[in-house]
Amino acid sequence: KAGVTQTPRYLIKTRGQQVTLSCSPISGHRSVSWYQQTPGQGLQFLFEYFSETQRNKGNFPGRFSGRQFSNSRSEMNVSTLELGDSALYLCASSRQDGLQETQYFGPGTRLLVL
Amino acid sequence: DAKTTQPPSMDCAEGRAANLPCNHSTISGNEYVYWYRQIHSQGPQYIIHGLKNNETNEMASLIITEDRKSSTLILPHATLRDTAVYYCIVRASNDYKLSFGAGTTVTVRA
């Protein structure tokens, strides 16, 4: 079974621009979560989507948004990029058809903001 | 808001067992212990999880103490490819997210 895929793998943007990252979950998985990883803050939860609805959200500004499509694929968008948004953005999927579902991570998208 | 304590680093000889400790003294009855690892610049990889009983899979074994206040991840025969940051995470059954701490940087040496 194919794992979680994320595109693009690497991205360079400049301050003020906006960016869209894509995540395709494992087949059959309905929940997609997004995390940001930086050297200073470590891995932090951004938001989680299930059945095209955002169910949970971490403590990030409104510049960070996302959506999920009917095929469970998800995108996250960051508007008005800041230097501090440079990070590894990770997507994780899980089945979410019961309790305690294991999350499986993709390889991440490394974003550099200049 | 990580609920676990792990040593910041440890070394292990190739071919030997690596025993990674984790303290979670405030764990609740409905919280599981999860282990993930992250090889440099890659996404975290799920290893194993457990509630009360010891667990084993093709990657590792998880030993949870009877009072559940600590656990040990055992990599039975460490290889150079096991060099990574290992995260011990406590997660309730209704938790929607994983809360990562700093983890343990494990270096396997030839």
Side-chain angles (χ1 to χ4, degrees):
Chain A
K1 184 185 273 192
V4 178
T5 58
Q6 292 186 245
T7 57
R9 294 292 311 279
Y10 303 93
L11 207 49
I12 299 175
K13 292 286 187 179
T14 56
R15 279 181 301 172
Q17 287 187 310
Q18 67 110 24
V19 67
T20 299
L21 312 180
S22 181
C23 171
S24 293
I26 293 171
S27 177
H29 284 197
R30 300 167 63 193
S31 170
V32 173
S33 298
W34 289 88
Y35 294 80
Q36 180 197 63
Q37 185 173 28
T38 60
Q41 298 297 319
L43 267 149
Q44 292 189 293
F45 172 77
L46 279 158
F47 29 64
E48 185 236 354
Y49 285 87
F50 177 78
S51 290
E52 303 177 64
T53 301
Q54 185 183 92
R55 288 199 302 189
N56 300 286
K57 191 177 190 307
N59 190 25
F60 278 81
R63 301 185 296 107
F64 292 81
S65 63
R67 59 177 175 169
Q68 187 181 34
F69 302 95
S70 58
N71 62 357
S72 294
R73 191 177 69 85
S74 177
E75 290 180 346
M76 69 161 282
N77 184 278
V78 187
S79 63
T80 318
L81 283 166
E82 301 177 359
L83 296 179
D85 297 333
S86 294
L88 180 66
Y89 289 89
L90 294 156
C91 162
S93 77
S94 61
R95 286 201 314 269
Q96 281 292 311
D97 55 5
L99 295 177
Q100 204 54 226
E101 291 292 343
T102 299
Q103 293 187 9
Y104 296 90
F105 284 83
T109 294
R110 186 164 295 281
L111 172 65
L112 176 62
V113 182
L114 301 176
Chain B
D1 56 346
K3 304 176 184 178
T4 62
T5 303
Q6 299 178 253
S9 64
M10 61 182 294
D11 285 359
C12 175
E14 188 178 24
R16 305 295 293 269
N19 298 300
L20 284 61
C22 179
N23 286 321
H24 31 79
S25 58
T26 60
I27 194 169
S28 300
N30 68 338
E31 290 181 319
Y32 288 71
V33 179
Y34 275 78
W35 284 84
Y36 283 78
R37 73 180 183 183
Q38 187 173 25
I39 297 169
H40 183 63
S41 294
Q42 299 181 20
Q45 178 187 23
Y46 165 76
I47 301 174
I48 199 167
H49 75 281
L51 182 62
K52 296 180 184 178
N53 301 320
N54 298 337
E55 303 287 344
T56 296
N57 62 20
E58 64 278 4
M59 288 184 68
S61 294
L62 174 60
I63 308 298
I64 302 174
T65 57
E66 193 168 341
D67 63 8
R68 303 213 317 127
K69 293 185 177 182
S70 66
S71 60
T72 301
L73 179 75
I74 301 173
L75 308 177
H77 305 286
T79 71
L80 298 178
R81 289 181 297 177
D82 291 323
T83 292
V85 179
Y86 287 76
Y87 297 98
C88 171
I89 299 165
V90 164
R91 180 187 178 204
S93 58
N94 58 353
D95 263 350
Y96 51 85
K97 67 177 181 180
L98 295 167
S99 296
F100 288 81
T104 297
T105 299
V106 174
T107 303
V108 180
R109 303 191 185 279

